[in-house]
Coordinates of all heavy atoms in Angstrom, one line a residue:
S24 N 13.0 19.0 -13.4 CA 11.6 18.9 -13.5 C 10.9 20.3 -13.6 O 9.6 20.3 -13.6 CB 11.0 18.1 -12.4 OG 11.7 16.9 -12.3
S25 N 11.6 21.4 -13.5 CA 11.0 22.7 -13.6 C 11.8 23.6 -14.6 O 13.0 23.3 -14.8 CB 11.1 23.4 -12.2 OG 10.7 24.7 -12.3
Y27 N 12.1 26.9 -14.1 CA 12.4 28.1 -13.4 C 13.3 27.8 -12.2 O 13.0 27.9 -11.1 CB 11.1 28.7 -12.8 CG 10.0 28.8 -13.9 CD1 9.1 27.8 -14.1 CD2 9.9 30.0 -14.7 CE1 8.2 27.9 -15.1 CE2 8.9 30.1 -15.7 CZ 8.1 29.0 -15.9 OH 7.1 29.1 -16.9
N71 N 6.9 28.3 -4.8 CA 7.2 27.2 -5.8 C 6.5 25.9 -5.4 O 6.3 25.6 -4.2 CB 8.7 27.0 -5.8 CG 9.2 26.6 -7.2 OD1 8.4 26.3 -8.1 ND2 10.5 26.5 -7.4
I72 N 6.2 25.2 -6.4 CA 5.7 23.8 -6.2 C 6.2 23.0 -7.4 O 6.0 23.4 -8.6 CB 4.1 23.7 -6.1 CG1 3.6 22.3 -6.0 CG2 3.4 24.5 -7.2 CD1 2.2 22.1 -5.6
V73 N 6.9 21.9 -7.1 CA 7.5 21.1 -8.2 C 7.3 19.6 -7.9 O 7.5 19.2 -6.7 CB 9.0 21.4 -8.3 CG1 9.6 20.6 -9.4 CG2 9.3 22.9 -8.6
I74 N 6.9 18.9 -8.9 CA 6.8 17.4 -8.8 C 7.9 16.9 -9.8 O 8.0 17.3 -10.9 CB 5.4 16.9 -9.2 CG1 4.3 17.5 -8.2 CG2 5.3 15.4 -9.2 CD1 4.5 17.1 -6.8
K79 N 5.0 13.0 -12.3 CA 4.0 14.0 -12.7 C 2.7 13.3 -13.2 O 2.7 12.2 -13.5 CB 4.5 14.9 -13.9 CG 5.5 16.0 -13.4 CD 5.8 17.0 -14.5 CE 6.4 18.2 -13.9 NZ 7.9 18.2 -13.9
R80 N 1.6 14.1 -13.1 CA 0.3 13.7 -13.6 C -0.3 12.5 -12.8 O -1.0 11.6 -13.3 CB 0.3 13.4 -15.1 CG 0.6 14.6 -15.9 CD -0.5 15.1 -16.8 NE -1.7 15.6 -16.1 CZ -2.7 16.2 -16.8 NH1 -2.6 16.4 -18.1 NH2 -3.7 16.7 -16.1
Q81 N 0.1 12.4 -11.5 CA -0.5 11.4 -10.7 C -1.2 12.0 -9.5 O -1.3 11.4 -8.4 CB 0.6 10.4 -10.2 CG 1.3 9.7 -11.3 CD 2.4 8.8 -10.8 OE1 2.2 8.0 -9.9 NE2 3.6 8.9 -11.4
A82 N -1.5 13.3 -9.6 CA -2.3 14.1 -8.6 C -1.5 14.4 -7.4 O -2.0 14.7 -6.4 CB -3.6 13.4 -8.3
F83 N -0.1 14.3 -7.5 CA 0.7 14.7 -6.3 C 0.8 16.2 -6.2 O 0.8 16.7 -5.0 CB 2.1 14.0 -6.4 CG 2.1 12.5 -6.4 CD1 2.9 11.8 -7.2 CD2 1.3 11.9 -5.4 CE1 2.9 10.4 -7.1 CE2 1.3 10.5 -5.3 CZ 2.1 9.7 -6.2
G84 N 0.8 16.9 -7.3 CA 0.8 18.4 -7.2 C -0.4 18.9 -6.5 O -0.4 19.7 -5.6
K85 N -1.5 18.3 -7.0 CA -2.9 18.6 -6.4 C -2.9 18.4 -4.9 O -3.3 19.2 -4.2 CB -3.9 17.7 -7.1 CG -5.3 18.2 -7.2 CD -6.2 17.2 -7.8 CE -6.2 17.2 -9.4 NZ -7.2 16.4 -9.9
E106 N 2.9 33.8 -8.4 CA 3.3 34.2 -9.8 C 3.5 33.0 -10.6 O 4.1 32.1 -10.1 CB 4.6 35.0 -9.8 CG 4.5 36.4 -9.1 CD 5.9 36.8 -8.6 OE1 6.9 36.1 -8.9 OE2 5.9 37.8 -7.9
V107 N 3.1 33.0 -11.8 CA 3.3 31.8 -12.7 C 3.6 32.3 -14.1 O 3.0 33.3 -14.6 CB 2.1 30.9 -12.6 CG1 0.8 31.5 -13.0 CG2 2.3 29.6 -13.4
N111 N 3.2 28.4 -18.7 CA 3.3 27.3 -17.8 C 1.8 26.7 -17.6 O 1.2 26.8 -16.5 CB 3.9 27.7 -16.5 CG 4.3 26.5 -15.6 OD1 3.9 25.4 -15.9 ND2 5.0 26.7 -14.5
I112 N 1.4 26.1 -18.6 CA 0.0 25.6 -18.7 C -0.3 24.6 -17.5 O -1.4 24.7 -16.9 CB -0.4 25.0 -20.0 CG1 -0.2 26.1 -21.1 CG2 -1.8 24.5 -20.1 CD1 -1.0 27.4 -21.0
P113 N 0.5 23.6 -17.3 CA 0.2 22.7 -16.2 C 0.0 23.4 -14.8 O -1.0 23.2 -14.1 CB 1.4 21.8 -16.1 CG 2.0 21.8 -17.4 CD 1.8 23.2 -18.0
A114 N 0.9 24.4 -14.5 CA 0.7 25.1 -13.2 C -0.5 26.0 -13.2 O -1.3 26.0 -12.3 CB 2.0 25.9 -12.9
N116 N -3.2 25.7 -14.9 CA -4.5 24.8 -14.8 C -4.6 24.3 -13.3 O -5.8 24.3 -12.8 CB -4.3 23.6 -15.7 CG -4.6 23.9 -17.1 OD1 -5.1 25.0 -17.4 ND2 -4.4 23.0 -18.0
L117 N -3.5 24.0 -12.7 CA -3.6 23.5 -11.3 C -4.2 24.6 -10.4 O -5.1 24.4 -9.7 CB -2.2 23.1 -10.8 CG -2.0 22.8 -9.4 CD1 -2.8 21.5 -9.0 CD2 -0.5 22.6 -9.0
Y118 N -3.6 25.8 -10.6 CA -4.0 27.0 -9.7 C -5.5 27.3 -10.0 O -6.3 27.6 -9.1 CB -3.1 28.2 -9.9 CG -1.7 27.9 -9.6 CD1 -0.6 28.4 -10.4 CD2 -1.4 27.2 -8.4 CE1 0.7 28.2 -10.0 CE2 0.0 27.0 -8.1 CZ 1.0 27.5 -8.9 OH 2.3 27.2 -8.5
Q120 N -7.8 25.4 -11.0 CA -8.6 24.3 -10.4 C -8.9 24.6 -8.9 O -9.9 24.2 -8.4 CB -7.9 23.0 -10.5 CG -8.7 21.8 -10.6 CD -7.9 20.6 -10.9 OE1 -7.4 20.0 -10.0 NE2 -7.8 20.2 -12.2
Ligands
COA1 C1 2.5 22.1 -11.9 C2 3.0 20.8 -11.3 C3 3.4 21.0 -9.9 C4 1.7 19.9 -11.3 O1 2.0 18.7 -10.7 P1 1.4 17.2 -11.1 O2 1.5 16.4 -9.9 O3 2.0 16.8 -12.4 O4 -0.1 17.6 -11.4 P2 -1.4 16.8 -10.9 O5 -1.3 15.4 -11.5 O6 -1.7 17.0 -9.5 O7 -2.5 17.6 -11.8 C5 -3.3 18.6 -11.2 C6 -3.9 19.5 -12.2 O8 -2.9 20.3 -12.8 C7 -3.1 20.5 -14.2 N1 -2.1 19.8 -15.0 C8 -1.1 19.1 -14.5 N2 -0.2 18.7 -15.5 C9 -0.8 19.2 -16.7 C10 -0.4 19.2 -18.0 N3 0.7 18.5 -18.4 N4 -1.2 19.8 -18.9 C11 -2.3 20.5 -18.6 N5 -2.7 20.6 -17.3 C12 -2.0 19.9 -16.3 C13 -4.5 19.8 -14.5 O9 -5.5 20.8 -14.2 C14 -4.5 18.8 -13.4 O10 -5.8 18.4 -13.0 P3 -6.5 17.1 -13.8 O11 -5.6 16.0 -13.6 O12 -7.8 17.0 -13.1 O13 -6.6 17.5 -15.2 C15 4.0 20.1 -12.2 O14 3.6 20.1 -13.6 C16 5.4 20.7 -12.1 O15 6.2 20.3 -11.3 N6 5.7 21.6 -13.0 C17 7.1 22.2 -13.1 C18 7.3 23.2 -11.9 C19 6.5 24.4 -12.0 O16 6.5 25.1 -13.1 N7 5.8 24.8 -10.9 C20 5.0 25.9 -10.9 C21 5.8 27.1 -10.4 S1 4.8 28.6 -10.4

Side-chain angles (χ1 to χ4, degrees):
S24 309
S25 172
Y27 308 89
N71 212 351
I72 174 168
V73 179
I74 299 296
K79 281 192 165 93
R80 297 245 66 172
Q81 296 178 52
F83 293 137
K85 207 184 278 189
E106 293 154 6
V107 58
N111 192 350
I112 302 302
N116 283 349
L117 173 69
Y118 298 138
Q120 209 175 85

